[in-house]
Amino acid sequence: MKLYIIRHGQTDWNVQGRIQGRQDIPLNAAGRSQAEMLAKGMEKRPVTAIYSSPQIRAMETAETLARARGMAVIPVPELAEIGYGDWEGRTASDILAKERKLYEEWWQHPATVAPPGGETLNQVDARCKKAWERIKGEIKGDTAVVAHGGTLAHFIVHLLEGQPDAAEILVGNASITTIEYDPVTGQCSLEGLNDCSHLM
């Protein structure tokens, strides 16, 4: 069966380069348009369930997809974006200017160093594992999973058992990454990464 891993549509903070993290930033007009194009692009990809981060930008994207199919979205708290704590709402350049030492330490050791009030990437990986265990236990056919760029990089790495590295995975707003999942062997294989052709 196929897993369609989808990033939410654009927000104003995406445009401004602000770290969103756990802040509930809604889609902007472009993001809502992307969500509609995503729904159309998914028309020939039947799904039996749609899971989403509970954050508004992901839910708005997932609900647009679900509405076109007469389905309900299943929220999964573990799919929330990486928690960046006190750095949320700020740009990387601002953080570098004011907290360079801590930022560089986090950049070099993100698995074990967290932003102030945020979480480490080890904690993110644990959440992704928990989210997949839940979804894997419930799915009955092709499935869509809607979440955030940071979390999805780690979720995809977990599905692919560590290859490639999360830092190598970049997914654009409203993009589709397709993974083939074999429920008999439990193996996942990457079929397509960061497909944005439906947004043209």
Side-chain angles (χ1 to χ4, degrees):
M1 62 183 69
K2 296 190 187 302
L3 303 172
Y4 298 110
I5 313 299
I6 297 167
R7 185 183 174 195
H8 64 77
Q10 186 189 85
T11 70
D12 285 342
W13 279 22
N14 285 146
V15 177
Q16 296 164 10
R18 295 183 182 276
I19 297 171
Q20 295 184 106
R22 298 298 178 83
Q23 302 303 303
D24 245 352
I25 311 303
L27 299 181
N28 60 18
R32 291 190 293 274
S33 177
Q34 288 173 338
E36 294 291 348
M37 288 187 280
L38 168 70
K40 187 168 182 59
M42 285 287 292
E43 283 178 349
K44 294 182 180 179
R45 297 175 169 109
V47 296
T48 59
I50 301 171
Y51 293 87
S52 176
S53 157
Q55 292 179 257
I56 189 169
R57 56 193 183 273
M59 285 296 290
E60 285 182 326
T61 304
E63 286 168 352
T64 301
L65 177 58
R67 191 164 51 248
R69 296 165 183 265
M71 299 173 67
V73 176
I74 304 167
V76 179
E78 291 81 9
L79 290 174
E81 179 59 300
I82 297 170
Y84 289 97
D86 295 347
W87 290 353
E88 293 177 2
R90 299 169 64 187
T91 64
S93 58
D94 174 60
I95 298 166
L96 268 171
K98 298 174 181 174
E99 302 171 57
R100 176 174 289 273
K101 183 177 179 180
L102 178 58
Y103 185 87
E104 289 179 345
E105 184 182 359
W106 168 78
W107 187 257
Q108 292 168 7
H109 306 286
T112 54
V113 175
E119 63 181 335
T120 68
L121 294 189
N122 281 345
Q123 291 173 303
V124 177
D125 288 334
R127 286 199 287 111
C128 289
K129 180 179 180 180
K130 188 174 180 181
W132 174 232
E133 288 303 312
R134 174 186 170 177
I135 294 169
K136 182 171 63 173
E138 296 177 357
I139 57 176
K140 296 178 173 62
D142 293 355
T143 299
V145 177
V146 183
H148 312 267
T151 298
L152 286 181
H154 290 267
F155 186 72
I156 292 167
V157 166
H158 178 67
L159 294 178
L160 300 177
E161 300 181 345
Q163 296 295 328
D165 184 85
E168 301 174 56
I169 296 178
L170 297 175
V171 289
N173 290 119
S175 66
I176 304 168
T177 292
T178 304
I179 290 177
E180 180 68 27
Y181 167 60
D182 185 339
V184 176
T185 65
Q187 298 296 303
C188 291
S189 57
L190 183 65
E191 288 197 349
L193 177 66
N194 193 36
D195 177 10
C196 296
S197 59
H198 51 283
L199 302 177
M200 303 300 184

